[in-house]
Amino acid sequence: MLQRPDRGYFPVAFVDDNSAKLGHRIHGVPILGTTEEIPRLVQRQAVDEIVIAIPSANSKALRKIFEYCRMSSADAKALPHIADIIAGRVTISHIRKVSIEDLLGREPVDVNLDQISGYIANRCVLVTGAGGSIGSELCRQIAEYKPFKLILVDHDENAIFSISEELSSTNAEVEALSLVLDVLNYPAIENVFSQYKPDVVFHAAAHTHVPLMEHQAVEAVRNNVQGTLNIVRLSREYGVARLVNISTDKAVEPVNVMGMTKRVGELIVHASNADGDTTYASVRFGNVLGSAGSVIPTFKAQIENGGPVTVTDPNMERYFMTIPEAVQLVIQTGAFAGRGETFVLDMGKPVRIAKLAEDIIRLSGFKPGEDIDIVYTGTRPGEKLTEKLHWEGKESIATTSHPKIMAVRNDTEMSSEDIFRRVNELISVASEQKEEQALKMLQELAGHSLNVALPGKKRQGV
């Protein structure tokens, strides 16, 4: 900053919580106080901007500092995370606004590189839903472990083109094959399995928007249930070593169509361990920060339009993870997954959506309730106030060798044969576009498997 005053930055003071540093100067700039004194110093020194230059700080520390910054009239900015800058020198151009990911993100995930490389390196890996938020990040991270071949499958041409172009520039040495295919197109997907014989499959293709699926039970069943069954069957038939199915916390005590279909998807994976040599597993986690259609991009768009920011209920809570963190744990889970198991990722503490909205408004440079209003609209069909990561009283949790991954014991009352029989009946009804019958069968299958009564046809947010 001192060398390039033309960039518009002039340092007037440091703050540091190490009392031994107070009163000293760095390059002539005084250390005037602690982070707690930020509001007072901002006023006294006529500060316009605060730069948080602690790229290795965890989210708890950043949130504390940001709270002090928020109490002042200055804008708060930050240096990138250390992982983003270790490869090169930081310049003024790297200074950016504090993001919600900074405040909600958690400690970096520790993964066992040897375990992961052992089942991905020099293997053929297939990712369904490769163009989506989770699928595309799976492709990015898998490519780092140098598979022999990476096959990307998605029905969205533009999405898969985007991740394909990115991989060709960042991991050109990895042979990536991008295919515009639908998991419901069994002959086309079977051709992929028969031709390339993947060793590992990550199944991320799914419809995930709760309100949309509430009115399209048939479509949800076809994509989320039949699509999963197709991938599971082909994995067994063509000798896939490992299949990892991406599930959701909404599969726990499901009250919406999307959650019910994902619950049935877990049952399919669970039932598949009865025969064959394939290792099957499901990984269950909650919301991911910044994923397509999620709440954070929606809030940001509303703020850009001048508000209001809409929140369904002041008590609504959700679990959040960053996309890279969730995917790192998914890949690690694949390394030690057992047969037919369901795994739950440590999501930390749930976040109140109203508080999240307030933070995003402040991070955007506005004051909640003054510059940008928050309006409560009521819960939407199929929404719960809180989500759970396991079914209390019906599922038991066990630790694994990774502190952020837990195994769920699925106490289903049905045999594998019964599960597949009922799944096939459900798919048959859905293929005939019998919406009400498909919804009823879906409710019974998703709930009966754990002997829990589900809401009737007119489901309400709990």
Side-chain angles (χ1 to χ4, degrees):
M1 291 179 182
L2 293 171
Q3 291 173 353
R4 296 295 305 272
D6 58 301
R7 295 288 182 90
Y9 287 92
F10 181 75
V12 296
F14 286 105
V15 294
D16 199 297
D17 288 336
N18 185 344
S19 58
K21 297 179 181 180
L22 300 182
H24 292 275
R25 290 177 177 266
I26 300 176
H27 297 296
V29 181
I31 305 173
L32 294 182
T34 64
T35 55
E36 189 174 356
E37 297 177 87
I38 286 175
R40 179 181 64 83
L41 292 172
V42 164
Q43 184 177 14
R44 193 180 85 181
Q45 301 295 122
V47 171
D48 299 306
E49 288 191 1
I50 303 164
V51 177
I52 303 172
I54 320 173
S56 58
N58 60 31
S59 60
K60 183 178 180 180
L62 282 173
R63 177 173 283 278
K64 181 180 178 181
I65 294 170
F66 179 70
E67 286 298 316
Y68 292 134
C69 296
R70 182 174 69 79
M71 294 162 62
S72 75
S73 59
D75 292 332
K77 294 187 177 180
L79 292 182
H81 287 292
I82 194 68
D84 298 328
I85 60 177
I86 55 176
R89 185 182 174 191
V90 179
T91 66
I92 292 176
S93 62
H94 290 96
I95 296 173
R96 57 170 175 77
K97 287 187 175 182
V98 177
S99 70
I100 196 67
E101 287 82 2
D102 293 323
L103 303 183
L104 295 183
R106 302 204 297 278
E107 295 297 311
V109 174
D110 291 324
V111 295
N112 188 316
L113 298 179
D114 291 336
Q115 284 184 341
I116 293 175
S117 295
Y119 83 98
I120 289 181
N122 299 315
R123 301 291 199 280
C124 180
V125 181
L126 184 150
V127 178
T128 71
S133 301
I134 296 297
S136 59
E137 181 63 21
L138 272 168
C139 294
R140 292 185 192 97
Q141 293 196 26
I142 290 169
E144 296 296 325
Y145 296 104
K146 302 300 181 282
F148 165 70
K149 187 187 294 291
L150 179 57
I151 303 173
L152 292 70
V153 171
D154 201 294
H155 66 180
D156 187 327
E157 178 186 10
N158 292 327
I160 201 167
F161 174 79
S162 177
I163 183 61
S164 178
E165 287 291 289
E166 180 183 333
L167 291 177
S168 66
S169 61
T170 58
N171 293 90
E173 71 279 10
V174 175
E175 183 182 351
L177 177 65
S178 299
L179 302 172
V180 182
L181 292 175
D182 194 320
V183 291
L184 294 177
N185 189 339
Y186 193 90
I189 294 293
E190 182 177 25
N191 183 58
V192 175
F193 275 79
S194 64
Q195 184 174 353
Y196 299 104
K197 294 182 172 53
D199 302 293
V200 181
V201 173
F202 290 90
H203 179 47
H207 290 324
T208 59
H209 294 288
V210 170
L212 288 179
M213 292 303 103
E214 280 302 281
H215 308 290
Q216 294 182 273
V218 161
E219 177 61 22
V221 167
R222 293 185 69 249
N223 195 69
N224 294 2
V225 176
Q226 185 177 346
T228 299
L229 184 62
N230 286 350
I231 297 301
V232 165
R233 282 176 170 171
L234 290 170
S235 295
R236 179 173 55 204
E237 182 177 349
Y238 288 94
V240 169
R242 299 169 192 261
L243 181 147
V244 179
N245 171 54
I246 306 301
S247 190
T248 169
D249 56 0
K250 293 173 179 60
V252 180
E253 301 180 23
V255 299
N256 54 61
V257 168
M258 192 280 277
M260 292 176 195
T261 58
K262 297 299 283 185
R263 170 62 189 154
V264 174
E266 290 183 359
L267 287 174
I268 293 170
V269 171
H270 174 75
S272 299
N273 75 86
D275 57 11
D277 297 324
T278 303
T279 295
Y280 303 89
S282 291
V283 183
R284 183 190 291 167
F285 53 89
N287 298 41
V288 287
L289 293 170
S291 60
S294 66
V295 66
I296 292 175
T298 300
F299 285 169
K300 288 181 178 179
Q302 290 174 336
I303 292 168
E304 288 176 2
N305 291 327
V309 170
T310 56
V311 176
T312 53
D313 190 284
N315 297 313
M316 183 78 70
E317 291 183 331
R318 289 294 181 267
Y319 290 98
F320 284 97
M321 302 180 86
T322 64
I323 295 175
E325 180 186 16
V327 168
Q328 281 178 303
L329 290 174
V330 166
I331 294 175
Q332 178 67 73
T333 299
F336 56 76
R339 296 174 62 80
E341 291 179 301
T342 297
F343 292 87
V344 176
L345 305 187
D346 174 12
M347 298 291 295
K349 295 182 179 180
V351 176
R352 194 164 60 89
I353 302 301
K355 179 65 166 60
L356 182 67
E358 292 174 358
D359 283 345
I360 294 177
I361 291 172
R362 291 191 182 100
L363 288 170
S364 301
F366 302 104
K367 293 183 179 180
E370 295 183 23
D371 304 317
I372 302 289
D373 289 330
I374 296 177
V375 175
Y376 297 103
T377 59
T379 55
R380 296 175 296 182
E383 282 189 325
K384 292 191 265 185
L385 287 183
T386 59
E387 298 288 359
K388 298 179 181 179
L389 295 178
H390 74 282
W391 204 318
E392 295 179 10
K394 297 295 180 178
E395 291 179 335
S396 56
I397 293 287
T399 59
T400 70
S401 59
H402 195 287
K404 289 191 175 184
I405 303 174
M406 298 165 286
V408 174
R409 181 167 178 249
N410 194 331
D411 300 325
T412 178
E413 300 171 344
M414 293 188 293
S415 66
S416 297
E417 293 77 12
D418 195 21
I419 289 174
F420 283 121
R421 176 184 60 79
R422 296 182 64 175
V423 165
N424 284 319
E425 290 174 354
L426 173 62
I427 291 172
S428 176
V429 168
S431 66
E432 296 173 3
Q433 299 295 310
K434 297 179 179 178
E435 188 83 17
E436 290 191 13
Q437 187 176 351
L439 178 57
K440 181 179 179 181
M441 294 176 67
L442 177 64
Q443 290 175 324
E444 291 174 350
L445 180 55
H448 173 77
S449 60
L450 291 177
N451 196 28
V452 173
L454 283 170
K457 179 182 175 184
K458 294 183 179 179
R459 295 175 309 285
Q460 300 293 327
V462 177

